[in-house]
Amino acid sequence: MNKTGKIYIAGHRGMVGSAILRKLKAEGFSNFILKTSDELDLRNQQAVNDFFAAEKPDYVFLAAAKVGGIQANNVYRADFIYENLIIECNIIHAAFVNKTEKLMFLGSSCIYPKLAPQPLKEEYLLTGLLEETNEPYAIAKIAGIKLCDSYRRQYGCNFLSVMPTNLYGPNDNYDLEKSHVLPALIRKFHEAKIANQSEVEIWGTGSPLREFLHVDDLADACYYLMQNYNEEGLVNIGTGTDITIKDLALLVKKIVGFEGELKFNSSKPDGTPRKLMDVGKLHSFGWKHKIELEQGITMVYNNPETIKKFGTANLIS
Ligand code: GFB
């Protein structure tokens, strides 16, 4: 990436987009065009076309997406497929029309087949049925990857896709109805500690395995690949190790200092039993994560912004 190039980060206020912005600033980039969703509605094709025609960004990071945890994906199914599809179509096509030099699209590990062999290699995409709770989201994200590959093959666009595992870090969502498991657990254990509660509810059986990557590591990998990778297909970004939800809960409990019990609610869905990334391709390029899980969760919990974010977000048991 040329240091003076114009960079558009779609979704720069979200957890992923804000981490990419921090990383690029730290690397000395300064020519950003950033728009909030009030200033530019990415679902509006004309607005996106006008924006790209006026700004002609050299580099695009497509980190804007409708995202959420297992319950939000399952409940807001139409919003998840529609909003993600239309955002991807609008931005990727406008980047092609306006000759964006390089675009990075972010997928997600939950779009691999539900029962694919583990660890998940990049070539397992589209080899089996998807997890039911997030099928609409997965279909939209798979379409985004295929958009990048198709514009590359037909028109020679340098559009690439990366596949992050479950992420956490600054600017996460702590709404207990819509969030992912890690922010939910940090909030639940913290509030239970303050209220002297005897137990904390954990959704599902606690047996599913998940892999977690700090978003600053993700941003580092995205930057690395934006500099060094120019191919069709995708690249997994993760740590290559996973943990059961039960052990994750015990770890968060220890970091937060909650002394009560865990109570598993098996009426809530478990989702995919396991989705561990094979990070061999990424490691072969010379990149490896730096922030281990316990260290990362401690950093998040000790950040004063985290508890402020609990705010008035929904509280459900
Ligand atoms: O992080 P999570 O919501 O989503 O849930 P997925 C992971 C696991 O943690 C599931 C359990 O087995 C949940 O049942 N869990 C336990 C909890 N307690 C809680 C809790 O309080 N809140 C939440 N949210 N989960 C999502 C996908 O799947 O992963 C998305 O639905 C997305 O599409 C994301 O890609 C990365 O890991 O199951």
Side-chain angles (χ1 to χ4, degrees), residues 42 52 69 77 91 99 122 124 162 171 177 183 190 239 258 271 316:
L42 296 172
F52 269 78
R77 300 177 75 88
I91 292 182
K99 303 191 168 37
E122 285 85 353
Y124 297 164
V162 296
N171 293 325
E177 195 189 340
H190 175 75
T239 63
F258 172 71
I316 55 167

Side-chain angles (χ1 to χ4, degrees), residues 68-71 73 108 110 133-134 137 166 176 179-182 184-185 188 201-204 208 210 245 269-272 275:
I70 192 165
Q71 178 158 292
N73 269 268
S108 165
C110 66
T133 52
N134 66 19
Y137 175 79
N166 292 38
L176 294 181
S179 71
H180 292 101
V181 61
L182 192 36
L185 293 181
K188 284 180 176 180
E201 184 186 275
I202 313 294
W203 292 358
R210 293 289 183 273
I245 296 300
D270 268 344
T272 306
K275 43 177 175 173

Side-chain angles (χ1 to χ4, degrees), residues 142-161:
I142 292 169
I145 292 167
K146 292 298 168 188
L147 277 163
C148 289
D149 286 349
S150 302
Y151 279 86
R152 175 182 293 276
R153 276 216 217 161
Q154 187 177 344
Y155 296 115
C157 300
N158 196 359
F159 294 173
L160 54 106
S161 302

